[in-house]
Amino acid sequence: MINFQDKVSFIWSIAEILRGPYKPEDYGKVVLPLAVLRRFDCVLESTKEEVLTSYEKFKHLNEDAREPILNRIAKQNFHNISQYDFSKLLSDADNIADNLRDYINGFSKTARDIMENFEFDRQIDKLDSNNLLYLTIKRFSELDLHPDVVSNVEMGYIFEELIRRFSEHAEAGDHYTPREVIRLMVNLLFLDDDDILTKHGVTQSLYDCAAGTGGMGSVASEYLEKLNPTADLKFFAQEINPESYAICKADTLIKGGDAKNIKLGNTLSNDQFPSEKFDYLITNPPYGVDWKSYEKPIKTEHETLGFAGRFGPGTPRTSDGQLLFLLHLISKMKPVTEENPNGSRLAIIMNGSPLFTGDAGSGESEIRRYVLENDLVEGIVALPNDLFYNTGIATYIWILTNNKASHRRGKVQLVNVVDFYKKMKKSLGNKRNEITDEQIEEIVRLYGDFKKGEYVKIFDNEDFGYQKITVERPLRLNFKIDEERIARVTEQKAFQNLATSKKKGENGLAEIEKGKQTQAKIIEVLQSLASEEVYKNREDITKMLKEVFKQAGLTISTPVLKGILAGLSEKDETADICMKNKTEPEPDPDLRDTENVPLRENIYTY
């Protein structure tokens, strides 16, 4: 890895010449695309002249027909038909901006798409106007990124180290995943699949729906190559950020993968792999990211397609889309069939919110219920804090499969490794801790052993299920007719409404006047009953008031009578229970409570 460190240091020194016109957090807009471009330049160097000669023969063909022919000659999945390369660009300093554009436009579609998504054309103008373009190209031309000098794996490391350095100012939710965390995820993902993965010439597929720069695909490929050099792991990915997408696609292209499997777009609202299923699924989605701006297609899919779509179990609140990514990945799992007896395995990192946010019946709760009732959750690993560059929050790896081993069926394994870390000598942003290779091995062993212990708990799926029970207590009121409570009667809305009218003109005024007279008579009757006596049975006082009002020639409607009783009442635990009817007590809404009763416990005993 000497090449890796030396090259990163050299590229970082090039970034320093941008100081002034560029802020440090914007260096990546120049350095990353030029690193990719220089790699392309070095990779195509040995076949450049042959490609140019062949282009003259085949330029009458359209680009789609011509591309595979020239790719074969270039011995890559891309080629370039421009007369320029990095050395020739430097021979014409006055026209370097136009010539650089000509060079970039000479690439075949896939490579051209990468550069377009870097939006590098803007930077060409800015660099040129600040007299930095020639100097920057000259410095990059001194960088030898030929495959004989820098391997594909090392080039992947260079990309990842550069993007990490340039992303230290990114939002907390949009973090880069540290390599050791990915290694742990990949080890857990491929756990117990050696019999599948070691078959000669086996081909498996891996999908990352929030791929970033493609680090998870890189680590998984390295793992499988060490395990079985004849195996082929086809990497599929989607990424929403154009720059990250460009790096991921460039990395795939340089390593000889199929760059057409790398797609740009919002995974949740614009799935680029609508009918694909995959053997392995892995991702680190953004935490706590609001999806309100594109909720319409997601809600529509949930409501119209139900379980035939991706979001059948429900949708979480719009302030956090993590569980949507989980459901999306579940929908991409290969079903267990005779042709595919192994099903799929899934690893996803999430923060604590998906574990507990949302009450019974909420979208989050229904999603958790779905994954548990369908026995998809194999295990959850609690990671140490301060592992990520831009956030120090608690994180968890969820492992799901639709083909659990027999001894794991109906069970969920929880592994607590929050103390499995080593303090870093120097912090990188919020990243103060790292997991060592030895600790990764120990965590994987603890997970694979599936034995209860200091760091491991094993539960039945039902242990996570609860019934939400509403506990009612009866309403108990006492009643008293005195000056204070009579004053409360006058504040009751039903009483005040007696002196209002929806009629207009004289008729309305007459109705209001009549209502005022009724109000006065009610108060008069109540004042005649004033005493220190306390009534503790609502039925008794109701019966007495009806009789008194009748004797006074007053017809009192039910709403008004309820208002009078409300004004005369107070809560009293010693009073008789107020009944809704002859058999059913009326609940007191102020005393209403809810209890989450474990599914395995008797509700009444609980």
Side-chain angles (χ1 to χ4, degrees):
M1 298 310 293
I2 295 168
N3 283 331
F4 160 61
Q5 295 296 352
D6 287 351
K7 303 300 182 190
V8 168
S9 298
F10 185 84
I11 293 169
W12 195 250
S13 73
I14 297 173
E16 289 301 309
I17 69 175
L18 303 173
R19 187 180 297 278
Y22 285 87
K23 295 176 183 176
E25 59 263 34
D26 292 330
Y27 290 171
K29 293 177 181 177
V30 173
V31 172
L32 292 169
L34 280 177
V36 171
L37 206 57
R38 180 59 180 150
R39 174 67 171 188
F40 285 172
D41 195 61
C42 293
V43 165
L44 296 177
E45 184 182 329
S46 61
T47 59
K48 177 82 174 180
E49 292 305 319
E50 196 179 346
V51 167
L52 291 176
T53 304
S54 299
Y55 171 65
E56 291 302 318
K57 290 183 194 174
F58 299 110
K59 66 181 179 183
H60 64 281
L61 299 174
N62 67 43
E63 187 175 6
D64 288 340
R66 192 173 63 229
E67 183 171 344
I69 300 169
L70 296 183
N71 282 356
R72 273 197 302 277
I73 295 164
K75 298 175 184 174
Q76 300 293 335
N77 288 329
F78 64 104
H79 63 267
N80 185 293
I81 57 171
S82 167
Q83 295 295 323
Y84 293 98
D85 55 24
F86 267 62
S87 60
K88 287 180 182 174
L89 287 171
L90 296 171
S91 64
D92 186 2
D94 293 338
N95 297 300
I96 193 165
D98 289 341
N99 294 344
L100 179 57
R101 286 190 173 95
D102 180 273
Y103 176 53
I104 290 169
N105 289 332
F107 279 103
S108 50
K109 272 185 184 176
T110 305
R112 205 164 61 238
D113 176 58
I114 290 166
M115 298 311 296
E116 284 169 4
N117 279 284
F118 273 124
E119 296 185 342
F120 187 57
D121 198 63
R122 291 185 193 177
Q123 307 311 322
I124 294 175
D125 286 335
K126 186 172 179 177
L127 289 165
D128 198 33
S129 63
N130 285 282
N131 295 317
L132 287 171
L133 185 58
Y134 181 87
L135 180 59
T136 309
I137 295 295
K138 186 175 188 305
R139 291 299 305 278
F140 267 100
S141 71
E142 296 164 10
L143 181 67
D144 191 351
L145 295 179
H146 193 279
D148 292 344
V149 178
V150 180
S151 71
N152 287 341
V153 171
E154 285 172 330
M155 198 66 217
Y157 272 95
I158 289 171
F159 279 158
E160 288 176 16
E161 179 63 12
L162 289 174
I163 195 69
R164 183 196 65 70
R165 292 197 189 189
F166 293 131
S167 69
E168 285 182 0
H169 296 271
E171 291 179 23
D174 193 24
H175 49 261
Y176 164 88
T177 311
R179 205 166 181 85
E180 81 269 18
V181 176
I182 303 175
R183 279 202 300 273
L184 174 57
M185 290 178 78
V186 168
N187 274 272
L188 294 172
L189 189 67
F190 290 152
L191 189 72
D192 297 332
D193 279 5
D194 285 4
D195 57 329
I196 303 164
L197 300 174
T198 51
K199 288 178 184 173
H200 185 79
V202 68
T203 297
Q204 296 283 281
S205 57
L206 176 78
Y207 171 57
D208 185 346
C209 64
T213 57
M216 292 192 173
S218 297
V219 174
S221 296
E222 288 168 27
Y223 177 98
L224 193 53
E225 194 172 337
K226 284 179 186 172
L227 186 70
N228 178 4
T230 71
D232 180 20
L233 186 68
K234 294 192 177 300
F235 183 49
F236 296 78
Q238 186 163 342
E239 170 55 35
I240 192 170
N241 178 277
E243 187 178 67
S244 298
Y245 157 77
I247 292 174
C248 182
K249 193 166 184 173
D251 191 32
T252 304
L253 188 61
I254 286 163
K255 290 175 179 175
D258 190 347
K260 289 175 184 172
N261 293 340
I262 314 301
K263 305 286 187 180
L264 176 68
N266 186 323
T267 295
L268 299 179
S269 61
N270 183 20
D271 179 14
Q272 295 284 308
F273 300 97
S275 55
E276 297 278 352
K277 305 285 183 184
F278 306 97
D279 299 298
Y280 298 97
L281 308 101
I282 189 168
T283 203
N284 180 12
Y287 308 153
V289 171
D290 194 300
W291 53 281
K292 191 169 183 61
S293 60
Y294 49 89
E295 71 174 311
K296 190 174 180 183
I298 292 167
K299 292 281 180 75
T300 300
E301 182 174 338
H302 167 65
E303 289 159 10
T304 57
L305 295 180
F307 285 89
R310 295 174 293 166
F311 310 117
T315 56
R317 63 202 65 200
T318 54
S319 58
D320 187 357
Q322 289 177 88
L323 284 169
L324 290 177
F325 285 98
L326 176 64
L327 288 179
H328 170 81
L329 288 181
I330 289 170
S331 76
K332 303 294 181 189
M333 296 174 94
K334 288 184 174 179
V336 178
T337 61
E338 277 187 39
E339 295 78 26
N340 180 54
N342 302 309
S344 295
R345 286 179 67 79
L346 185 168
I348 182 171
I349 301 181
M350 295 189 282
N351 67 14
S353 179
L355 289 169
F356 59 79
T357 302
D359 202 356
S362 68
E364 292 91 346
S365 179
E366 289 302 298
I367 294 166
R368 287 191 290 267
R369 177 182 174 184
Y370 174 80
V371 295
L372 287 165
E373 287 185 347
N374 285 277
D375 202 18
L376 293 172
V377 183
E378 182 180 275
I380 300 175
V381 179
L383 297 174
N385 287 354
D386 300 324
L387 285 181
F388 293 88
Y389 302 104
N390 292 311
T391 179
I393 58 174
T395 50
Y396 305 81
I397 300 174
W398 291 43
I399 304 294
L400 289 84
T401 177
N402 54 3
N403 186 28
K404 282 186 182 179
S406 56
H407 65 287
R408 288 182 176 268
R409 283 175 196 158
K411 309 279 185 186
V412 175
Q413 180 181 11
L414 302 184
V415 184
N416 178 16
V417 295
V418 295
D419 296 324
F420 284 51
Y421 65 87
K422 185 179 88 175
K423 279 279 178 196
M424 294 172 65
K425 289 178 183 175
K426 183 184 176 186
S427 296
L428 293 167
N430 284 317
K431 182 171 174 59
R432 299 176 183 89
N433 300 325
E434 61 185 349
I435 307 173
T436 66
D437 288 345
E438 293 74 24
Q439 287 168 332
I440 289 173
E441 284 181 23
E442 178 63 8
I443 294 166
V444 174
R445 186 192 65 75
L446 286 169
Y447 191 93
D449 285 351
F450 195 64
K451 292 176 183 173
K452 292 181 183 178
E454 183 182 356
Y455 304 108
V456 178
K457 293 192 183 297
I458 298 168
F459 294 95
D460 292 336
N461 290 342
E462 290 80 7
D463 291 331
F464 297 95
Y466 293 82
Q467 292 189 67
K468 186 177 179 182
I469 305 301
T470 303
V471 181
E472 301 281 20
R473 287 160 68 188
L475 180 65
R476 296 176 185 267
L477 300 171
N478 73 35
F479 301 86
K480 189 177 180 185
I481 306 173
D482 61 13
E483 188 177 338
E484 183 186 343
R485 298 198 191 187
I486 291 170
R488 282 194 227 150
V489 170
T490 64
E491 295 167 3
Q492 297 294 317
K493 192 171 182 181
F495 181 85
Q496 292 175 348
N497 285 345
L498 286 170
T500 60
S501 176
K502 292 181 180 179
K503 295 177 182 177
K504 294 180 181 178
E506 292 295 327
N507 290 337
L509 292 171
E511 192 168 52
I512 290 169
E513 185 57 37
K514 186 178 177 184
K516 287 180 178 178
Q517 290 172 10
T518 303
Q519 286 177 331
K521 282 185 181 180
I522 290 171
I523 298 303
E524 188 182 325
V525 170
L526 291 176
Q527 286 173 339
S528 70
L529 296 170
S531 72
E532 291 302 309
E533 185 178 356
V534 177
Y535 301 83
K536 293 203 173 186
N537 185 292
R538 189 172 65 179
E539 285 184 50
D540 289 347
I541 192 169
T542 303
K543 193 174 178 183
M544 182 269 285
L545 286 175
K546 282 182 178 179
E547 186 62 36
V548 173
F549 286 136
K550 186 178 179 183
Q551 288 172 6
L554 285 169
T555 304
I556 305 296
S557 68
T558 301
V560 175
L561 183 60
K562 282 184 177 178
I564 293 168
L565 288 165
L568 299 177
S569 69
E570 279 186 359
K571 296 281 181 73
D572 183 352
E573 280 294 310
T574 67
D576 294 346
I577 292 172
C578 298
M579 304 295 288
K580 282 171 75 175
N581 49 49
K582 288 184 179 180
T583 58
E584 196 176 351
E586 183 176 339
D588 183 343
D590 292 336
L591 297 177
R592 184 170 293 141
D593 195 9
T594 57
E595 289 285 346
N596 291 321
V597 183
L599 282 179
R600 292 186 153 180
E601 292 197 34
N602 178 281
I603 293 167
Y604 296 99
T605 305
Y606 181 92

